[in-house]
Amino acid sequence: MKLFKELYDYREMIFSLVRKDLRGRYKGSVLGFLWTFINPLFQLIIYTIAFSFILPSPIEKYYLHLFVALIPWIFFSSSLQGGANSIMAAKNLVSKIYFPREVIPISYVTSCFVNMLLTFIIIFFVVIFSGVGLNPLAIACLPVIMLAEYIMALGLALLFSAITVFFRDMEHILSIITMAWIYLTPVLYPIDMISDEKIQKLFYLNPMTSVIVAYRDVLYYAKVPDLSTLAMAFLFGIISLVFGELVFSKLKIRFAEVL
Amino acid sequence: MNPENAIEVRNVKKKFKIFYDKGNDLKDRILFRNRNHYEDRWVLKGISFSVKKGEAVGLIGHNGCGKSTTLKLLTKILYPDEGTVEMAGRVSSLIELGAGFHPDMTGRENIYTNASIFGLTKKEIDRRLQEIIDFSELEEFIDNPVRTYSSGMYMRLAFSVAINVDANILLIDEILAVGDANFQKKCFDKLREIKAHGTTIVIVSHALEQIEQICETSYWIEDGLIKESGTPKTVHDHYLKSMEEKRNQQLEKQHHQENQAKPPKLETSETEQLPDFCEKTAVRMGTGAVRFTNAILCNLQNQKQFIFNSEDKIKIILEYESFQPDLKGNFGYGIFREDGLHCYGTNILIETGSYIPVQKKGRVEIILQNSLLPAKYFLDIAVHSHDGIIFDDIRQVLSFVVSSDKYDIGVCRLPSAFSWR
């Protein structure tokens, strides 16, 4: 409880770090903030071309099928990898100034999250123009899914950022894990492709599966996701957050000594 | 916690692990498991003190004594291994100035970032913004990116933010050396003002006068323990004295070593070898009609000495031999400070008005009242003929160190008597 109050007191620090990260990223480039949109736009164009002409997929509108899952995945994986490194990267602050240490991973994950939200503007355009259309009831579920994914990503970022301080290999181990993880999650393929129900259940043990399936339900199939899928996603999110913070709070008091 | 106190530190101990060969990655941990030996170094060995609300205290001590660690424990960057640290109220630390500054952002934007790191909300920053800008005297540059600032401007902006964070407790580490003399004075006045408003201040500094000006109490930390505490002036005097003693011991040791480590004489050397009584750096000139054979610095009891007090009498003993009969000579000496300042020089002609006959083997003794202030000095000695021919002249023949218990400054002491009405 004390932590919540303190984090609330330091909310401006979180905002300003997020702002600094978002604005600092493209500072100095000619197009500046526009890159936030140009990047995913071209990603989409490339996928469309690639999966229409070079590698045609039997799945209808595969580019959309892929895109609505890939953007949330990129948020998740960059939160995980960058988040794990965030305390190390903020060495100067952490070893010199007091503030609740959670601020650093929180603002990192939040800035990735804001980035994803901005990309969603493009997703909405594409969803509308591709003819899938927006189902208002389904769209209403979107914030819930996003929140579930956010707390999950945050939990893992807390966990791994703390571990990385003491065990620097974690960063590299994580990059291998995320590389494998994307194939264990139905990002590039639909979950139905796994025909064996038992194996499919096994896949649902992967916390990201529920999240990605829910995103795809809303944006590709324009339907309200299963309540159970949503509940699963949330459950995983909360477990990850609680566990992550537990480990983080144990380790944070020694950060300044090791950095 | 006593409600009168702003800070209570009770028996705090802190250790650091010193790794012999630190391996933080997997390979090192597995392959070199036995390399992961470490040693616990206790930086703080049990420190207790309390600071009343509105009081200012200074922490002093030589490098590595644990004073900065103490300050970091107060800010909660580090946590004690034993003991407790309690603080009442919002803490602001001026340990790292300009934390989180982004060079591409404007001064104004950076004020927001930087102040937010101290835990201020946007509203609070809005309220202080004008004050911060005014204090930094950067009004006209405030909307330029900080990368265009000079380092002085940068520090001024950073300091202005840090000092305007209305904290209950302000921790300051060695940062009052910001900007030009004017700005420093302004910072100092601001600190006084903050203190007058009831803020508790803890300063770590080597600038002892600053602590004396603002603090009621000084803590001298040595080897992780509080060695002395009390009125700053008194504590500092003791501290300086101990520092000086240490330094002199070191100098003496060094002097000793240097003299022992004289390189063996080379017979093929073209230049004339300096006799043993000279410093290694000595330079000798002259016709050689008269040669110094020894030079000694000693006290009145004829004991050779290297360190003299500012008020000591110093005796210079010069021994010489002459290779020509019936010479008249003028013996003299000069004293130079290490940095080359010519402090004093005189000779027999000046002092007595006449030359003295040079013996076959003779000795000249000079007793002088030292009034030089602490520094390292060199002695030059020379003997001239009545018409100015240099018989022998050895520059930097000996060196010596002057120490003092007083803290007057300058080249030499001008005994001063103050009176007042």
Side-chain angles (χ1 to χ4, degrees):
Chain A
M1 229 51 238
K2 218 180 126 212
L3 178 70
F4 279 118
K5 196 198 161 291
E6 217 183 359
L7 283 176
Y8 182 73
D9 286 343
Y10 275 85
R11 62 192 181 279
E12 182 58 26
M13 181 178 180
I14 299 177
F15 294 146
S16 76
L17 285 181
V18 170
R19 203 161 43 224
K20 196 170 96 174
D21 190 49
L22 289 174
R23 295 195 43 192
R25 196 176 294 180
Y26 301 111
K27 202 98 192 186
S29 58
V30 179
L31 293 175
F33 203 66
L34 270 181
W35 279 110
T36 315
F37 301 102
I38 296 171
N39 246 330
L41 190 66
F42 274 86
Q43 207 175 4
L44 182 69
I45 292 171
I46 291 165
Y47 288 148
T48 312
I49 295 170
F51 293 108
S52 306
F53 302 109
I54 305 169
L55 199 71
S57 165
I59 298 165
E60 197 190 341
K61 292 189 188 121
Y62 181 73
Y63 65 93
L64 187 65
H65 186 274
L66 174 64
F67 199 58
V68 299
L70 193 63
I71 296 304
W73 173 262
I74 288 173
F75 156 62
F76 179 76
S77 67
S78 56
S79 297
L80 191 60
Q81 286 186 267
N85 208 27
S86 60
I87 297 280
M88 294 285 299
K91 209 177 190 158
N92 274 332
L93 285 185
V94 175
S95 59
K96 298 267 169 63
I97 291 192
Y98 174 79
F99 52 85
R101 278 26 181 142
E102 284 82 358
V103 163
I104 298 285
I106 289 176
S107 33
Y108 189 85
V109 172
T110 307
S111 94
C112 291
F113 187 70
V114 172
N115 228 353
M116 176 177 82
L117 290 184
L118 293 170
T119 317
F120 259 80
I121 297 172
I122 291 184
I123 292 190
F124 284 141
F125 270 111
V126 178
V127 168
I128 291 166
F129 284 112
S130 65
V132 171
L134 296 171
N135 173 356
L137 200 61
I139 295 296
C141 295
L142 206 54
V144 183
I145 307 168
M146 285 176 169
L147 185 66
E149 191 188 12
Y150 177 79
I151 57 176
M152 194 187 300
L154 180 58
L156 293 177
L158 283 168
L159 174 69
F160 289 115
S161 62
I163 293 176
T164 307
V165 173
F166 298 93
F167 180 60
R168 310 271 155 102
D169 289 48
M170 205 62 228
E171 195 191 341
H172 308 293
I173 294 171
L174 272 179
S175 78
I176 295 173
I177 290 178
T178 43
M179 212 178 351
W181 202 339
I182 189 171
Y183 293 103
L184 293 173
T185 312
V187 175
L188 306 172
Y189 52 87
I191 183 73
D192 305 330
M193 218 175 80
I194 299 138
S195 43
D196 190 326
E197 261 192 36
K198 272 184 198 147
I199 297 183
Q200 211 185 78
K201 268 198 185 120
L202 219 58
F203 262 68
Y204 271 103
L205 285 180
N206 166 8
M208 274 308 281
T209 303
S210 318
V211 173
I212 293 295
V213 166
Y215 271 116
R216 194 169 275 146
D217 279 348
V218 172
L219 296 164
Y220 182 74
Y221 298 109
K223 67 172 191 187
V224 179
D226 283 348
L227 202 64
S228 65
T229 317
L230 276 180
M232 272 295 258
F234 239 96
L235 185 69
F236 278 125
I238 288 166
I239 292 173
S240 135
L241 188 61
V242 170
F243 182 66
E245 173 52 29
L246 219 63
V247 174
F248 193 90
S249 61
K250 283 270 179 304
L251 294 178
K252 71 176 174 185
I253 59 169
R254 307 212 91 89
F255 281 173
E257 286 170 40
V258 184
L259 285 175
Chain B
M1 186 166 179
N2 188 334
E4 269 186 17
N5 287 344
I7 303 172
E8 274 184 22
V9 175
R10 262 178 253 104
N11 197 28
V12 159
K13 296 181 182 178
K14 179 75 198 166
K15 67 176 175 198
F16 286 117
K17 284 180 177 161
I18 308 296
F19 285 87
Y20 293 130
D21 185 1
K22 186 165 180 170
N24 248 349
D25 52 26
L26 192 61
K27 182 199 78 186
D28 285 1
R29 290 219 168 165
I30 295 174
L31 290 181
F32 308 113
R33 209 175 313 160
N34 43 4
R35 266 206 210 164
N36 269 306
H37 286 317
Y38 59 81
E39 176 189 13
D40 283 339
R41 182 170 302 163
W42 290 91
V43 181
L44 296 180
K45 298 168 183 163
I47 283 197
S48 306
F49 63 92
S50 57
V51 183
K52 287 207 178 65
K53 280 180 182 151
E55 202 185 12
V57 303
L59 304 178
I60 60 162
H62 61 82
N63 290 332
C65 70
K67 57 188 190 308
S68 288
T69 305
T70 309
L71 206 65
K72 282 189 173 175
L73 286 166
L74 294 181
T75 60
K76 287 192 284 180
I77 294 171
L78 297 175
Y79 290 77
D81 288 304
E82 276 178 47
T84 55
V85 176
E86 280 188 86
M87 313 277 284
R90 173 188 261 162
V91 180
S92 169
S93 60
L94 275 65
I95 292 180
E96 172 81 348
L97 285 180
F101 268 24
H102 193 297
D104 281 330
M105 293 198 176
T106 67
R108 194 186 299 273
E109 289 169 315
N110 273 309
I111 290 177
Y112 278 91
T113 313
N114 192 220
S116 72
I117 293 173
F118 290 111
L120 264 64
T121 60
K122 187 158 185 313
K123 260 190 206 154
E124 289 173 305
I125 302 171
D126 285 338
R127 213 159 358 105
R128 289 172 179 78
L129 186 66
Q130 199 50 47
E131 210 177 323
I132 293 173
I133 297 174
D134 288 347
F135 191 82
S136 70
E137 302 168 11
L138 290 169
E139 182 76 62
E140 47 189 316
F141 306 106
I142 203 68
D143 289 310
N144 298 353
V146 295
R147 76 180 132 78
T148 62
Y149 286 21
S150 72
S151 59
M153 288 159 74
Y154 186 94
M155 293 309 273
R156 250 154 60 193
L157 184 66
F159 191 88
S160 307
V161 178
I163 207 156
N164 280 301
V165 178
D166 296 344
N168 302 99
I169 300 172
L170 189 62
L171 308 170
I172 304 173
D173 190 357
E174 212 66 78
I175 49 151
L176 287 174
V178 175
D180 52 25
N182 256 339
F183 192 74
Q184 276 191 32
K185 169 139 191 346
K186 202 169 159 183
C187 293
F188 225 77
D189 291 345
K190 180 77 184 178
L191 270 188
R192 284 223 184 81
E193 188 193 314
I194 286 175
K195 195 185 157 212
H197 280 113
T199 302
T200 311
I201 300 176
V202 181
I203 302 179
V204 164
S205 183
H206 289 290
L208 302 179
E209 337 64 84
Q210 291 184 339
I211 293 183
E212 281 160 25
Q213 280 177 44
I214 208 159
C215 300
E216 284 93 359
T217 315
S218 217
Y219 292 91
W220 169 12
I221 299 177
E222 187 153 304
D223 287 338
L225 290 168
I226 294 178
K227 185 156 183 188
E228 196 181 328
S229 67
T231 320
K233 185 82 183 94
T234 320
V235 176
H236 295 174
D237 282 354
H238 295 163
Y239 168 66
L240 285 172
K241 187 157 172 61
S242 120
M243 289 289 276
E244 173 133 332
E245 273 163 16
K246 254 184 216 155
R247 198 169 50 233
N248 286 344
Q249 273 169 16
Q250 197 121 34
L251 276 174
E252 198 143 19
K253 208 168 132 197
Q254 208 179 341
H255 183 73
H256 196 63
Q257 278 171 353
E258 267 173 20
N259 281 0
Q260 286 202 329
K262 267 187 189 168
K265 289 182 178 177
L266 297 174
E267 285 177 18
T268 53
S269 169
E270 283 178 21
T271 54
E272 187 196 356
Q273 280 304 317
L274 289 164
D276 280 341
F277 66 85
C278 296
E279 286 278 320
K280 267 195 299 184
T281 52
V283 179
R284 187 168 209 171
M285 289 170 287
T287 62
V290 181
R291 297 297 252 176
F292 287 110
T293 54
N294 202 2
I296 299 167
L297 279 170
C298 56
N299 59 18
L300 294 183
Q301 287 75 45
N302 288 340
Q303 287 158 324
K304 241 183 159 174
Q305 210 167 308
F306 173 61
I307 298 168
F308 294 93
N309 193 282
S310 281
E311 281 151 13
D312 282 351
K313 284 202 158 52
I314 302 177
K315 191 187 224 178
I316 306 171
I317 300 174
L318 304 175
E319 289 169 351
Y320 65 88
E321 55 184 337
S322 165
F323 303 98
Q324 278 177 37
D326 303 330
L327 286 176
K328 278 187 176 252
N330 180 16
F331 290 83
Y333 75 93
I335 292 173
F336 287 79
R337 202 163 62 186
E338 195 176 22
D339 60 5
L341 177 74
H342 192 168
C343 298
Y344 191 68
T346 189
N347 57 40
I348 287 186
L349 183 65
I350 295 171
E351 300 295 330
T352 66
S354 61
Y355 297 93
I356 57 164
V358 178
Q359 314 291 322
K360 179 98 186 81
K361 274 193 174 168
R363 180 181 169 108
V364 175
E365 290 187 6
I366 306 149
I367 291 172
L368 59 112
Q369 171 60 54
N370 184 28
S371 54
L372 294 166
L373 292 185
K376 189 180 181 188
Y377 295 92
F378 288 105
L379 178 73
D380 293 8
I381 52 173
V383 50
H384 291 206
S385 76
H386 67 283
D387 45 10
I389 295 166
I390 303 167
F391 294 141
D392 197 7
D393 181 338
I394 311 178
R395 305 271 162 90
Q396 302 199 348
V397 61
L398 293 173
S399 68
F400 62 101
V401 166
V402 174
S403 70
S404 166
D405 317 323
K406 274 165 81 173
Y407 301 106
D408 42 354
I409 51 169
V411 179
C412 64
R413 177 160 302 155
L414 307 177
S416 310
F418 284 74
S419 63
W420 55 89
R421 274 181 277 193

